Amino acid sequence: MITAMITPMTPDGAVDYDGAARLADYLVTAMRNDGLVINGTTGEAPTTTDEEKERLLRVVLEAVGSRAQVVAGVGTNITSHTIELARAAERVGAHGLLVVTPYYNKPPQPALEAHFTAVADATGLPMLIYDIPGRTGAAVASETLIRLAAHPRIIGVKDAKDAPGATSHVLAQTDFVYYCGTDMLNLPWLALGAVGFVSVVGHVVGDRLHEMIDAFGAGDVGRARQIHYDLIPVYDGLFRNQGAVMTKAALDLLGLPGGAVRAPLLAATEAERQQLALDLDAGGVKLPGSAA
């Protein structure tokens, strides 16, 4: 159970490092997260500086200690910059890397293979490929993933391609570990062979997602299915707007560190916050001051 952690910010948009430490501790202790992804898309990595990324990683590593694995999001659409971020993450002490498909420039498959290989060659850390064509404009083909699986440090995929056939082909032909990267598909992806989730809703229901993983692994598919159904309002609520926007709104409703978002994102509207409160309540997330 891994959550892709937001980057808490102050009202003026500065990174709230104390808040990040508190949130990381909460996610590990109360939400049962086995790991955290720092500086991913949900962490607003496209709008944080390299210096902020490195300091945030240091703060979270110190906050969680040996209680959880910390994976650094280092992907950009420039191979040399991605390598710089990967090496910085290794120096700081990250346990692994998450490398998103280069976005906007839409590299063809041989270029994608060369990019991921170059990043994996640059450090001694294990690496996950983040396949999310809806954001990047370029899917990683199954054949490319199968070839990349031969690299000793490319160990798996955060899969947000939402293509069960493609995922099945790769899982059947490699020893890759797969993490579901689309919360609504968490349970189906366990059935395909995923080992867990890199989740957004894990900020508020990570403990129940961990219970889903445990139930499925124990063969109690009925229990896992019921958890999935119970969480549908939470899945819906946190993605009515962009994930970081709604997650920060949810954390604010819960009295946890979240704060502002950076442009071009805009904070959730009051109407969105009111709907989110209803969604969270329907999904069994009790807000401060709500009826027990």
Side-chain angles (χ1 to χ4, degrees):
M1 178 57 218
I2 302 172
T3 287
M5 196 178 101
I6 59 106
T7 298
M9 294 180 183
T10 61
D12 63 357
V15 175
D16 177 5
Y17 296 104
D18 290 340
R22 295 197 309 274
L23 180 60
D25 179 71
Y26 174 83
L27 292 175
V28 172
T29 56
M31 289 291 101
R32 295 188 65 199
N33 278 279
D34 303 301
L36 301 172
V37 170
I38 307 302
N39 297 322
T41 311
T42 308
E44 298 177 76
T47 53
T48 58
T49 68
D50 291 1
E51 292 74 20
E52 288 172 329
K53 289 178 173 66
E54 182 170 335
R55 183 176 173 188
L56 184 66
L57 194 54
R58 290 182 187 276
V59 165
V60 172
L61 282 162
E62 183 176 356
V64 303
S66 62
R67 297 177 296 148
Q69 299 289 293
V70 177
V71 179
V74 298
T76 73
N77 64 344
I78 304 172
T79 301
S80 59
H81 188 199
T82 302
I83 288 172
E84 289 173 9
L85 292 175
R87 288 173 172 163
E90 183 176 39
R91 287 195 303 271
V92 169
H95 302 110
L97 305 174
L98 178 67
V99 182
V100 72
T101 309
Y103 38 84
Y104 186 73
N105 39 21
K106 296 182 72 172
Q109 295 302 311
L112 288 179
E113 185 173 351
H115 172 81
F116 289 123
T117 300
V119 179
D121 285 344
T123 82
L125 294 176
M127 181 179 122
L128 295 175
I129 292 168
Y130 185 10
D131 191 10
I132 181 166
R135 284 187 182 271
T136 65
V140 188
S142 296
E143 295 76 12
T144 303
L145 289 169
I146 290 166
R147 287 193 296 272
L148 287 167
H151 196 289
R153 285 183 296 282
I154 303 178
I155 64 167
V157 180
K158 177 186 175 183
D159 185 17
K161 187 153 54 185
D162 304 349
T167 295
S168 297
H169 276 291
V170 178
L171 281 168
Q173 297 180 61
T174 71
D175 59 358
F176 263 170
V177 291
Y178 259 66
Y179 293 87
C180 183
T182 302
D183 275 305
M184 185 62 82
L185 298 178
N186 283 336
L187 179 58
W189 255 238
L190 289 179
L192 294 178
V195 299
F197 319 137
V198 177
S199 171
V200 174
V201 304
H203 285 89
V204 295
V205 291
D207 51 346
R208 291 158 70 191
L209 290 175
H210 204 300
E211 185 183 351
M212 181 197 292
I213 296 169
D214 291 345
F216 190 89
D220 192 350
V221 177
R223 176 61 186 150
R225 186 187 302 119
Q226 189 59 54
I227 295 169
H228 170 72
Y229 291 156
D230 291 345
L231 291 179
I232 287 173
V234 182
Y235 295 156
D236 288 342
L238 262 67
F239 293 100
R240 292 186 187 275
N241 192 334
Q242 198 264 5
V245 171
M246 298 308 289
T247 300
K248 286 190 170 184
L251 293 170
D252 183 53
L253 290 169
L254 290 164
L256 293 165
V261 292
R262 284 187 179 171
L265 299 179
L266 292 174
T269 65
E270 185 56 35
E272 287 173 329
R273 287 168 60 89
Q274 290 175 7
Q275 179 61 55
L276 178 60
L278 295 174
D279 293 329
L280 293 173
D281 182 69
V285 179
K286 295 306 177 185
L287 304 177
S290 64

